[in-house]
Each structure stands twice: as C-alpha cells, then as structure tokens.
Amino acid sequence: MKVDNKYKGLVIKKFNEFYLVELNQNENLEFNKKFLCKIKKSINFRNQLVFVGDEVILYQIDLKSNRAVIESLVKRNNLLERPSVANISNIYVICSVEDPKLNLSQVNRFLISAEKLGVEVSLVLSKCDLITEQKRLFLIDKFKNWGYKAITLNLNNPDNFKHLLTQLKKKKCSIFMGPSGVGKTTLLNKIIPGLDNTTAPVSIKIKRGKNTTRNVELFSLSSKSYIVDTPGFNMQSLQIDFRELPLLYPEIYQQVVNEGINCKFRNCLHIDDEGCNLNKSFERYSFYREMVESSKSHYCLIQGD
Ligand SMILES: Nc1nc2c(ncn2[C@@H]2O[C@H](COP(=O)(O)OP(=O)(O)OP(=O)(O)O)[C@@H](O)[C@H]2O)c(=O)[nH]1
Ligand SMILES: [Mg+2]
Ligand SMILES: [Zn+2]
C-alpha cells in the first residue's frame, strides 16, 4: 500500500546509499514511522550530500515494505564536518580521564573543531571512577581556566548520568564526540532506556579504543530532543583559517568581547607583542600559538604564497 502524501522526516542513520528516516514524531500517524529510503534518482544532489540530522521530504511511501524515496532536502542550519552530522544544537566533547589517558593536546583539538561550528560546546570527563577525588577537582579547575565547566562522570554514581540526561532533554540535537574508547556509547546506553548498543574494552596493547561504533546514529530522548552517537577517532585533523582561531578560544574571546581589550592592530592574532594587549598568561596560550603557526603555513600553502 502506498501513501500519496509527502511527509517531512529526519535522517537518523545512513548506510551506503540508504538512509533510515523517521517521520515527524508530532504527526498523528497510524503507521510505522521509520522508513528505509533512497534519494530520488533525478535529483542532482549526490548521495553524500544528505547526512544524519538532515530533514528531508519523503514521497512514494510504501507502508508494506516500509520504504520511501527522499524527494528533497530541507535547508539545514549547520553541518559538522567530521563526523558529518547536520543541524546540531549542542556539542558534547567527551574525553576519559584514564583508559585511554587524558591527552591535553587532543582535548584542545576536539574543543577547537567543535567551537568552529558556532554552537554551544560542553566538555565531559568520563571514567572519573578511575581517579581520586583530588585529581577530579584538579581537572575541573584546569578546564575552568580553559573556559569550560567540565561535567564529570563516575560509573558508580548514577546521579551524574541523571543530571546530564536532564540537561540533554532541554537541547534540540546534541552530539557526543571524542576519541575511541572514552565511553560515548556506554553513556548513551545508560541514559536511553532499553538501548544496548555495542561497547568494547580499550585495547590493552595499544591503549586506545577499538573503534567499536561504526556509524553515526541519532536517537530520540523525547519528541523534541535528540542525541547523536558517533564513531570515535583519535586524531582531529583541523583545517581552520588562522584568522578564525582567536574566536575559538574562550580565554581570548572573553578578553576581547567581554573585557573589551584593544590591540593596536585590528585583526591582531595576539602572537607578536607589538601593540598587543592580550593577557597571554593562560594555560592554552602555547597550544593557541602552535595552532596559529601551523594553520598559517597550511593556509599559505593553499593560497600559494
Ligand atoms: N571505568 C569506567 N569504564 C568505562 C566508563 N565508561 C565506559 N567505560 C568502558 O570503556 C570501554 C569503552 O566504552 P565505549 O562506550 O565502547 O566507548 P566509545 O567512546 O563508544 O568508543 P568508540 O565506539 O570506539 O568510539 C568499555 O569497556 C566501557 O565499559 C566509565 O565511566 N568508567
Ligand atoms: Mg561507541
Ligand atoms: Zn592582540
């Protein structure tokens, strides 16, 4: 049986040229709401241009086989590049404090690539059951200086997860991103009743996660709230225009925007001291400087000068 109407749906998973699309939860439909779809052949956007998180219009809806065709793509608000997810409202960068060990340079890179999207970014420190309370407080203080109020999770403290879930339910579409093995899927299994997605211990030999989650997948927390699990990856490759970087470090933009510091040159990169009024005594300044230098050389290579 086919339905003549067109419906708006949300792409919740993508496999090769297929998309799993869920129809709008608020629509009062008496049929199954998840459809396996392909993109209309005559459409001149290529397959890879539809991503998890995209809203699409479905037609040729077949209720017997639960298949449909994607007719068009609704304009998206934003697109995270790696992993590719559309229409994100909040990014949760998740890093473990142990197993795998916390790597500050890696945390920095994840935060910067998250900030680049221009949405609210939060930092979650998982596996706090593996460190002392003293170390946990030390880390909270450290990341406060980085401009983040770190959320800490302890497997033995269910309240941690309850608080995070309450927060997530207030957001539209949050994404968990971070290295492999830090516990992104474990966290999701804890907060979504009945979910039992695959998790795996960190490799003893290489001390890294085993890339257990293979697909980006979106889960609903309520009819208005979604969460995306992503495959972990360890190196966050960054291709950022160096002129953007000062805006991606809270320690810098707070001085510029909130405290109104004025450097001699507009677009000051806060690297050379001449006429620069930025207070550079913050922990991440060396990371910032390195990032500007490498982004500059990369940028120059692209520009050919
Ligand atoms: N001690 C401790 N172990 C945890 C915690 N959270 C997760 N783990 C363990 O860490 C391992 C990796 O967890 P996963 O949830 O598979 O990690 P992931 O981030 O989804 O990894 P990828 O899918 O590879 O990106 C599993 O053995 C979990 O049981 C935690 O809070 N404390
Ligand atoms: Mg996973
Ligand atoms: Zn400056």
Side-chain angles (χ1 to χ4, degrees):
M1 189 177 84
K2 294 215 173 180
V3 180
D4 285 334
N5 297 2
K6 292 178 182 177
Y7 285 101
K8 196 196 267 187
L10 182 67
V11 178
I12 58 175
K13 200 168 176 178
K14 178 176 171 176
F15 355 57
N16 303 323
E17 73 272 35
F18 286 100
Y19 299 84
L20 189 62
V21 178
E22 186 171 75
L23 294 194
N24 195 329
Q25 300 243 356
N26 300 322
E27 298 233 26
N28 219 350
L29 304 173
E30 63 279 11
F31 48 82
N32 187 327
K33 291 175 182 172
K34 285 184 189 170
F35 293 87
L36 193 62
C37 306
K38 274 192 157 188
I39 296 178
K40 184 179 170 181
K41 282 213 179 69
S42 60
I43 279 187
N44 64 357
F45 56 84
R46 288 172 300 141
N47 274 353
Q48 58 267 39
L49 291 184
V50 173
F51 298 104
V52 169
D54 266 326
E55 283 193 302
V56 290
I57 305 294
L58 298 189
Y59 78 132
Q60 293 189 358
I61 294 170
D62 187 336
L63 297 184
K64 203 159 166 221
S65 63
N66 285 322
R67 296 215 176 203
V69 178
I70 295 176
E71 187 199 61
S72 59
L73 177 65
V74 177
K75 192 172 179 296
R76 62 171 74 106
N77 296 328
N78 58 34
L79 178 67
L80 187 70
E81 278 168 29
R82 191 163 179 251
S84 300
V85 187
N87 298 320
I88 292 166
S89 63
N90 291 75
I91 300 181
Y92 287 79
V93 170
I94 308 197
C95 293
S96 53
V97 292
E98 280 292 340
D99 195 33
K101 268 198 180 330
L102 196 65
N103 173 333
L104 293 180
S105 157
Q106 188 185 46
V107 181
N108 177 51
R109 294 175 82 82
F110 269 102
L111 288 172
I112 296 305
S113 65
E115 290 288 352
K116 195 171 168 242
L117 197 68
V119 301
E120 192 187 348
V121 175
S122 308
L123 176 64
V124 177
L125 301 175
S126 63
K127 310 200 189 185
C128 286
D129 47 295
L130 301 179
I131 55 171
T132 60
E133 177 63 6
Q134 195 186 6
K135 179 83 191 282
R136 187 183 76 92
L137 296 174
F138 166 81
L139 290 173
I140 288 179
D141 194 48
K142 173 188 279 295
F143 290 114
K144 194 169 158 218
N145 292 327
W146 286 30
Y148 297 89
K149 191 170 173 279
I151 299 163
T152 59
L153 299 178
N154 179 330
L155 210 53
N156 307 322
N157 188 346
D159 281 352
N160 289 172
F161 297 93
K162 265 193 231 151
H163 287 146
L164 182 56
L165 178 60
T166 310
Q167 196 184 106
L168 291 168
K169 280 187 169 168
K170 291 180 191 150
K171 324 280 182 183
K172 196 159 176 244
C173 187
S174 309
I175 181 172
F176 288 164
M177 79 186 226
S180 177
V182 298
K184 299 178 293 298
T185 305
T186 305
L187 172 56
L188 210 77
N189 285 343
K190 281 204 166 286
I191 60 177
I192 299 184
L195 191 73
D196 189 16
N197 280 351
T198 312
T199 64
V202 170
S203 152
I204 299 171
K205 215 162 137 204
I206 57 167
K207 300 197 166 48
R208 272 196 260 126
K210 294 178 183 151
N211 296 96
T212 311
T213 304
R214 295 287 174 177
N215 286 304
V216 171
E217 187 167 357
L218 193 147
F219 301 92
S220 61
L221 293 173
S222 73
S223 62
K224 290 192 211 81
S225 184
Y226 299 90
I227 180 94
V228 186
D229 190 17
T230 67
F233 42 89
N234 298 310
M235 268 307 290
Q236 182 72 31
S237 78
L238 282 171
Q239 289 191 1
I240 295 180
D241 181 339
F242 58 88
R243 291 167 297 196
E244 244 187 278
L245 281 169
L247 296 171
L248 305 182
Y249 281 80
E251 305 94 316
I252 300 180
Y253 71 68
Q254 268 160 21
Q255 288 192 49
V256 175
V257 177
N258 301 353
E259 296 163 29
I261 62 143
N262 260 321
C263 301
K264 184 172 165 194
F265 300 106
R266 218 164 47 90
N267 306 330
C268 177
L269 280 175
H270 318 297
I271 296 288
D272 302 315
D273 278 333
E274 199 208 333
C276 179
N277 287 322
L278 187 85
N279 176 357
K280 301 180 177 70
S281 61
F282 56 90
E283 190 182 305
R284 274 203 299 176
Y285 184 71
S286 58
F287 282 150
Y288 167 74
R289 202 184 164 105
E290 258 170 52
M291 216 175 247
V292 171
E293 307 284 347
S294 75
S295 154
K296 234 174 170 174
S297 56
H298 182 79
Y299 186 81
C300 292
L301 274 176
I302 298 171
Q303 295 292 302
D305 59 32

